[in-house]
Amino acid sequence: MSNEPTNTPSAQGSAWTEERVADVLYKRELDRTDGGKITDEYPELDLDAAYRVQRKLIDLKVAGGERVIGVKLGLTARAKQQQMGIDSPLTAVITDKMVLEAGVPIPLDELIHPKIEPEIVFVMKERLAGPGVTAATAMAAVGSVHAGFEVIDSRFTDFKFTLPDVVADNASSSRLFIGASGTDPAGLDLALEAVVLSVNGTVVATATGAAVQGHPGEALALAANALAERGEVIDAGAVVLTGGMTDAVFVRPGEQITAEFTNLGTLTVCGA
């Protein structure tokens, strides 16, 4: 999709501010309209400012009736972090509106250009607060581990953005599926937990939990410590998406997408 002129402050005679960025991104999501990078017109949007914008964007969602239920980690692959010039995952916010029940098709008519990726999902039994969180202390706070799918949907044309852009856009958060059957993390080696991603029965990717920062617990610890720098914690009961295990694939109408995990079960979804 092309950028809509009404999504730029210059078209409306208003200068960029952090509040304005949040408003524009929220409107793009509601209107299913992508657009150019904010940083092209607003270079003051650095990473710290982008996280403030992300919080303002979530405030708009909450004001619209959504409820915060957890945390999403992004850029958990070390190679992608090096490309973007960071050394820890991004964090974003999950709301209840994002969760889709098993068997419910991905609502393509509500999205722009969705992609999907398999993830290992944690449900926290204890509050986790940095600084100083290690992978061991992070995993001790996890109550159950689930198979998961995340549907990402950037509000930027062709998924082209800078690091501050994507952070402000809540790390392309959109929809997610969580396997109903949780597993005790004590019985799992999550670095070796494998997934096979298939589209219409054809295998398109495979990976293990080691793709997520070496171990999903390492990603969780880094996220808790990063959140602490912004005065935030991961609450008991929170859902945590630990990061894509494979590259994301586009969701197309009628396609059946399956993630088969070694121990966490199998999830199958479709676009409609």
Side-chain angles (χ1 to χ4, degrees):
M1 293 185 181
S2 61
N3 188 13
E4 290 289 335
T6 55
N7 276 344
T8 64
S10 57
Q12 299 184 355
S14 178
W16 284 109
T17 63
E18 292 176 11
E19 290 76 11
R20 187 68 177 172
V21 177
D23 287 341
V24 166
L25 292 174
Y26 188 49
K27 187 175 188 300
R28 287 184 185 181
E29 183 174 354
L30 292 177
D31 294 347
R32 298 182 61 239
T33 303
D34 56 3
K37 298 190 292 290
I38 303 296
T39 49
D40 284 345
E41 298 185 39
Y42 184 46
E44 294 86 352
L45 186 69
D46 59 15
L47 191 56
D48 288 339
Y51 274 113
R52 292 193 295 271
V53 170
Q54 183 189 107
R55 176 48 57 186
K56 296 176 191 301
L57 177 61
I58 297 304
D59 288 344
L60 290 172
K61 290 175 179 286
V62 170
E66 298 181 41
R67 178 172 57 87
V68 173
I69 63 167
V71 177
K72 162 191 166 167
L73 311 186
L75 292 181
T76 48
R78 289 194 176 100
K80 291 183 179 179
Q81 290 171 11
Q82 291 171 355
Q83 290 172 8
M84 299 298 279
I86 58 174
D87 57 8
S88 64
L90 305 182
T91 63
V93 179
I94 302 169
T95 72
D96 59 340
K97 181 183 176 182
M98 300 176 187
V99 181
L100 296 175
E101 298 296 329
V104 173
I106 299 167
L108 300 184
D109 61 344
E110 298 177 3
L111 307 175
I112 303 169
H113 40 200
K115 298 182 179 182
I116 193 167
E117 56 193 20
E119 303 208 10
I120 292 171
V121 180
F122 294 149
V123 176
M124 306 301 294
K125 67 179 179 181
E126 297 175 3
R127 183 175 184 267
L128 188 63
V133 175
T134 65
T137 55
M139 289 306 302
V142 173
S144 57
V145 186
H146 302 251
F149 264 133
E150 184 186 8
V151 180
I152 58 174
D153 192 31
S154 176
R155 272 56 69 172
F156 297 104
T157 303
D158 298 328
F159 278 84
K160 292 181 179 178
F161 42 69
T162 67
L163 187 62
D165 287 310
V166 71
V167 168
D169 191 33
N170 202 34
S172 304
S173 298
S174 176
R175 302 290 188 273
L176 62 113
F177 295 86
I178 305 171
S181 179
T183 302
D184 186 341
L188 299 172
D189 185 340
L190 291 179
L192 296 180
E193 182 69 19
V195 67
V196 177
L197 180 66
S198 302
V199 178
N200 291 336
T202 300
V203 174
V204 297
T206 62
T208 67
V212 181
Q213 201 69 42
H215 187 289
E218 293 284 356
L220 178 61
L222 287 168
N225 292 329
L227 286 166
E229 295 176 3
R230 299 191 292 277
E232 301 177 26
V233 302
I234 301 174
D235 289 320
V239 172
V240 180
L241 299 183
T242 63
M245 299 172 71
T246 70
D247 286 339
V249 298
F250 279 106
V251 180
R252 295 180 174 87
E255 287 188 337
Q256 189 174 73
I257 304 164
T258 300
E260 183 178 0
F261 291 80
T262 305
N263 298 293
L264 301 179
T266 298
L267 284 179
T268 298
V269 302
C270 65

